[in-house]
Amino acid sequence: MFSLKKTGTILCALTIGLSGVLAGCGSSGKEQSTSIGSTSQPAASTESSGPVQIDFWYALGGVRGKTIEDMVKKFNETHKDIIVKPAYQGAYQENHSKVLASVAAGNNPDVTMVEIASIAAFADAKVLEDLTPYSQGDEKKYIPGLMKNSYWNDKLYAVPFNRSTPLLYINRDMLKEAGLDSNGPKTWDELVSFSQKLSKKEGDKITRYGFSTPVDIWFYEALVFQGGGNILSENGKELTINNEAGKAPLELWSKMVKEGIMKNPPGENYNAWDVAEQDFLNQKVGMIFTSTGSLTELKKNAKFDMGAAFLPANKTFGTPTGGANLVMLAKSTDAEKKAAWEFMKWMTDTEQTVPWSIASGYMPVTTEAIDSAEMKAFYEKEPNFKVAVDQLQYGYPRPMAPGYKELQDVIQKELQRAMLGQATVDEAMQTATEKGSKLLKK
Amino acid sequence: MYRVVLASRKTVEWIGLLIVAFLFVFPFLWMASTAFKTMPEVRQFPPTLLPETWEWSNFAQAWESGPFLMYTWNSILVAVGILVLQFLTAVPAAYAFARYKFPGRNLLFGLVLIVLMIPGQVIFLPIYVQLSGWGLVNTLWSLILPYAASAFGIFLLRQAFMQVPDEVIEAARLDNASEWKIMWTIMVPMAKPVLVTFGLFSFIYHWNDYFWPLIMTNSDEVRTLPIGISSLHMSDGGTLWNVMMAGNMILILPILVIFFVAQRHIIKAFIYQSK
């Protein structure tokens, strides 16, 4: 409503003329002078004396953001020559826009979190620093199944940090009560038959659904992989979902919705995720797909025996990985890059990733962490937390293409149109392919 | 007979108004009620309208989750700073557009109207780069300066100034009042309801603004309340909605207070406009 005036002259005049009037508006003398005085980088970072200061932008709020802040604090206490300044920058998407803007303006951070499907876009735009010279083989410590989204054109650009996979969450009490295997369905057919038995009707009204999942690109990817398909061609230049494997997920979901055994949770993007989880906790649905990142919270709030299982298989098991990686920015100075690598390495070391995983529900990222006594003891006590790690043997990278962020919006919109009956499955896949191909050619 | 029809029409109008009012007020009530619930009760189904146990600690938890005093102070500085600048730029501009004939007037006013139609998100990048060039990123100035002139304010005030009768201005000129004096001591007081309404719009918009402060700032020292509250939201599930809503209550409280104080003027402004 209140538009911005671009006119530089007005702004200049105002800055000069009214600075007296608004003297109280500067945040603090120090903040003002440092930011006006320096061009883009703090002076301390270019000098060899004194600690190097680097900026780290992260994209997790709430308790998880607090944990990250605590980790950074510990890093700063143990590294006298490096000062990391952490800053929360909104969710993945907001951080994404902001990092790109800051690179254009020349005041970018040195390390940031990037959602794994966006790595290609950043690398392709030459925003990221090639990590190979820094890591020198160190990257072998990470779980191989998590590394597929770290490379672009055979160069290492990212290390895994907060990583997840989708899981099938089940209400074991409900399954037992219906006389079903309390380990959950293993195949799509079983998913359907379990859902039929779990659903309840009173008159014409469905009071309980067997299954629910947000109609989200992430779960769609999983189901396409399970049918032996792929979202993009090998070279990443073509959309390959207008075929049997691409249509099967939509056919499965819409059939289940029509039959009244699956609920299509309403809401845009993450709102639908919230609805699905809410319904699951309230025992309005028996089984849902959601991220392993929700495990801690769901476990805390469920008043029933909650279990996690592999996503059911079609031709095979299959799952994309998700979450975010840490990257280093190409525009930083050499000293900053050296410090940035120290920091990235430290954040993802076994000593940090184990407590981070236990606190957040995300997967630990090093093989050593999974074999550690602490993690093993934890998995012994909480077997649900191990499911995501086990499922990694069927893990696929998220599709890698510079335009995938826009492409996934196109696909998701068509998925929803089909689910709402505004298009047939064939039409939806046709439209998605047409629109998607245009995006990929850009 | 006629009287009965009239009365029943009144009743229908009242019921209609009540329904509409309820539709608008309900989300607020829902937010307020959620802010006082415990987390299990938030997730409970069917939902409760009023909290069973009043959990006042949600507010403390929201407030203590970050430097909220600093956020509040920044929000006040930014919203008030923008308001002052907008008044200082919009009043002379609107006066000129309303009362002077000069070459290019229509063209310039057309430009103002165009600015009115461009959303800030579209042009944020060039502004970001410009402010970064001046070294203003991550300062409160970067939140204030881009909004120093408001096309909406110019437009609204121009309409109000045009309604002031010519005689009033002529009389003032006869008394040797300067143009500056006419503008600030005659026009502005006469347009007071419109000024108050515009001020409210502006204040509320910038008080609530999330996008711009998020883009322009990196550190807590210069961040505003909406960013503080959004950081209560967890990305992959597990948000504490009760604490989040308590945070939102803290955010809207000042606005509610101002709104109640100023509502007399707002109503006046709308009557004034529709004359």
Side-chain angles (χ1 to χ4, degrees):
Chain A
M1 187 190 297
F2 296 86
S3 333
L4 302 157
K5 274 269 189 183
K6 267 206 279 193
T7 335
T9 46
I10 293 181
L11 294 186
C12 277
L14 284 170
T15 329
I16 300 158
L18 298 171
S19 50
V21 180
L22 282 174
C25 285
S27 58
S28 67
K30 191 197 86 216
E31 188 71 39
Q32 288 266 323
S33 60
T34 50
S35 48
I36 291 173
S38 65
T39 46
S40 64
Q41 303 299 341
S45 61
T46 46
E47 289 164 14
S48 52
S49 61
V52 180
Q53 189 177 310
I54 57 171
D55 288 307
F56 166 49
W57 289 2
Y58 64 92
L60 291 174
V63 187
R64 293 187 194 123
K66 276 256 170 315
T67 313
I68 289 179
E69 294 267 348
D70 289 344
M71 287 166 84
V72 173
K73 213 161 142 201
K74 198 172 152 206
F75 177 85
N76 284 335
E77 277 162 11
T78 49
H79 294 73
K80 289 289 162 236
D81 48 343
I82 302 171
I83 298 169
V84 179
K85 280 183 74 185
Y88 171 70
Q89 303 291 11
Y92 297 141
Q93 302 280 334
E94 290 156 342
N95 185 50
H96 183 120
S97 317
K98 190 162 169 177
V99 169
L100 287 181
S102 71
V103 168
N107 55 4
N108 53 279
D110 306 293
V111 180
T112 188
M113 266 168 70
V114 172
E115 200 274 326
I116 57 168
S118 299
I119 297 283
F122 277 88
D124 200 62
K126 310 233 177 331
V127 166
L128 303 184
E129 177 74 3
D130 176 9
L131 296 175
T132 326
Y134 298 90
S135 72
Q136 305 199 343
D138 248 9
E139 72 271 16
K140 290 193 187 72
K141 72 178 181 183
Y142 300 111
I143 299 169
L146 294 176
M147 289 300 283
K148 289 169 191 159
N149 281 106
S150 289
Y151 294 89
W152 179 246
N153 290 341
D154 296 326
K155 280 187 180 156
L156 178 73
Y157 283 109
V159 294
F161 177 60
N162 62 311
R163 297 297 297 274
S164 51
T165 70
L167 294 178
L168 174 73
Y169 285 80
I170 51 178
N171 182 333
R172 286 216 168 95
D173 291 344
M174 212 187 269
L175 264 65
K176 271 181 212 154
E177 188 194 287
L180 295 161
D181 180 1
S182 63
N183 289 318
K186 297 275 180 297
T187 63
W188 285 19
D189 289 339
E190 280 182 22
L191 180 72
V192 173
S193 67
F194 274 47
S195 300
Q196 283 163 342
K197 290 202 181 97
L198 291 174
S199 298
K200 268 189 186 162
K201 260 187 180 179
E202 269 169 35
D204 276 349
K205 227 178 125 240
I206 300 162
T207 53
R208 192 169 87 186
Y209 290 90
F211 175 63
S212 174
T213 176
V215 178
D216 187 274
I217 183 78
W218 203 36
F219 305 119
Y220 174 75
E221 284 169 11
L223 269 63
V224 172
F225 297 148
Q226 290 158 11
N230 223 323
I231 306 284
L232 296 175
S233 60
E234 194 87 2
N235 61 12
K237 297 223 160 70
E238 266 165 87
L239 199 57
T240 56
I241 52 171
N242 197 4
N243 52 35
E244 196 199 329
K247 287 173 191 170
L250 264 181
E251 276 156 7
L252 174 78
W253 284 344
S254 47
K255 195 187 85 186
M256 288 178 78
V257 167
K258 232 175 257 164
E259 210 184 314
I261 57 174
M262 168 179 154
K263 180 174 171 180
N264 181 9
E268 280 280 311
N269 299 332
Y270 284 111
N271 291 334
W273 292 55
D274 273 334
V275 174
E277 290 181 10
Q278 210 81 270
D279 285 339
F280 181 63
L281 287 176
N282 287 319
Q283 314 208 41
K284 296 266 131 196
V285 299
M287 307 179 285
I288 60 167
F289 285 174
T290 197
S291 166
T292 180
S294 298
L295 201 40
T296 314
E297 275 303 310
L298 287 179
K299 195 192 76 177
K300 212 165 72 191
N301 289 298
K303 295 193 193 92
F304 49 86
D305 182 5
M306 189 193 79
F310 283 16
L311 299 178
N314 182 12
K315 284 181 181 147
T316 98
F317 286 109
T319 179
T321 57
N325 285 342
L326 292 182
V327 299
M328 187 195 293
L329 281 97
K331 272 197 172 177
S332 301
T333 64
D334 285 344
E336 285 164 349
K337 283 174 186 166
K338 240 182 95 206
W341 175 251
E342 255 325 288
F343 176 63
M344 291 164 74
K345 200 172 77 178
W346 187 88
M347 285 292 273
T348 51
D349 260 347
T350 303
E351 259 173 68
Q352 275 62 247
T353 198
V354 168
W356 165 244
S357 170
I358 292 172
S360 65
Y362 288 112
M363 286 188 274
V365 294
T366 66
T367 35
E368 192 188 277
I370 289 185
D371 296 334
S372 70
E374 207 184 343
M375 217 61 220
K376 275 190 171 143
F378 177 69
Y379 286 149
E380 191 82 28
K381 214 173 88 209
E382 301 284 350
N384 284 336
F385 281 79
K386 193 160 185 292
V387 179
V389 177
D390 289 342
Q391 200 182 211
L392 266 189
Q393 58 183 303
Y394 304 105
Y396 291 75
R398 291 206 66 195
M400 297 279 272
Y404 195 65
K405 187 166 163 272
E406 289 80 22
L407 188 60
Q408 64 181 19
D409 290 339
V410 168
I411 300 173
Q412 194 157 313
K413 198 171 164 214
E414 291 308 315
L415 295 179
Q416 276 154 0
R417 259 167 30 94
M419 292 302 288
L420 295 172
Q422 294 165 348
T424 65
V425 172
D426 285 344
E427 283 164 7
M429 287 297 106
Q430 184 73 33
T431 320
T433 311
E434 277 164 19
K435 286 189 183 160
S437 304
K438 270 186 211 148
L439 274 176
L440 285 169
K441 280 202 191 89
K442 264 187 199 168
Chain B
M1 184 61 199
Y2 184 65
R3 194 165 279 198
V4 173
V5 172
L6 210 67
S8 71
R9 237 183 78 189
K10 264 260 148 58
T11 321
V12 172
E13 273 172 15
W14 269 99
I15 291 172
L17 281 176
L18 278 174
I19 291 172
V20 174
F22 181 75
L23 282 178
F24 278 86
V25 171
F26 186 75
F28 279 94
L29 293 180
W30 190 249
M31 171 173 73
S33 136
T34 305
F36 286 104
K37 286 177 180 173
T38 60
M39 206 46 208
E41 202 184 340
V42 170
R43 295 193 183 279
Q44 196 173 306
F45 191 88
T48 49
L49 202 57
L50 284 175
E52 283 162 0
T53 44
W54 293 75
E55 189 76 22
W56 287 89
S57 65
N58 293 339
F59 287 85
Q61 205 181 331
W63 186 261
E64 279 155 15
S65 71
F68 267 72
L69 201 62
M70 194 181 267
Y71 295 147
T72 311
W73 179 234
N74 288 337
S75 277
I76 293 171
L77 285 180
V78 169
V80 172
I82 289 173
L83 195 61
V84 170
L85 281 184
Q86 285 183 341
F87 276 151
L88 289 180
T89 53
V91 169
Y95 185 59
F97 279 127
R99 289 293 163 180
Y100 285 95
K101 285 209 164 64
F102 52 91
R105 183 179 77 156
N106 291 339
L107 180 75
L108 283 176
F109 191 64
L111 283 177
V112 171
L113 291 183
I114 287 174
V115 172
L116 199 59
M117 291 165 210
I118 303 172
Q121 280 84 345
V122 176
I123 49 170
F124 89 88
L125 196 57
I127 299 175
Y128 182 93
V129 173
Q130 179 62 73
L131 287 171
S132 171
W134 291 341
L136 290 181
V137 167
N138 205 30
T139 63
L140 289 180
W141 286 107
S142 66
L143 305 185
I144 296 170
L145 285 181
Y147 292 100
S150 158
F152 179 68
I154 294 171
F155 173 74
L156 208 66
L157 277 176
R158 173 182 171 267
Q159 304 308 107
F161 287 164
M162 278 165 73
Q163 300 203 4
V164 177
D166 285 335
E167 293 80 13
V168 178
I169 297 165
E170 310 261 293
R173 283 193 182 134
L174 281 179
D175 285 343
N176 277 335
S178 67
E179 288 300 309
W180 193 253
K181 200 168 177 189
I182 293 174
M183 185 168 79
W184 289 109
T185 57
I186 297 173
M187 301 297 265
V188 167
M190 290 190 85
K192 196 172 151 200
V194 176
L195 275 170
V196 170
T197 308
F198 166 67
L200 264 181
F201 270 123
S202 168
F203 186 84
I204 292 172
Y205 179 86
H206 293 290
W207 182 264
N208 287 336
D209 192 15
Y210 171 69
F211 177 79
W212 195 254
L214 180 72
I215 293 289
M216 298 309 299
T217 62
N218 302 324
S219 53
D220 278 337
E221 289 81 45
V222 288
R223 288 196 147 169
T224 53
L225 270 175
I227 300 179
I229 284 153
S230 94
S231 71
L232 296 170
H233 192 272
M234 297 232 263
S235 294
D236 293 334
T239 297
L240 298 169
W241 289 110
N242 50 354
V243 177
M244 184 106 195
M245 291 306 136
N248 280 318
M249 289 293 285
I250 296 171
L251 178 71
I252 64 155
L253 212 61
I255 289 181
L256 281 183
V257 171
I258 293 171
F259 193 78
F260 279 121
V261 172
Q263 62 170 329
R264 191 168 48 94
H265 291 287
I266 301 169
I267 295 165
K268 235 193 234 167
F270 281 109
I271 297 168
Y272 192 75
Q273 289 286 298
S274 63
K275 250 203 292 203

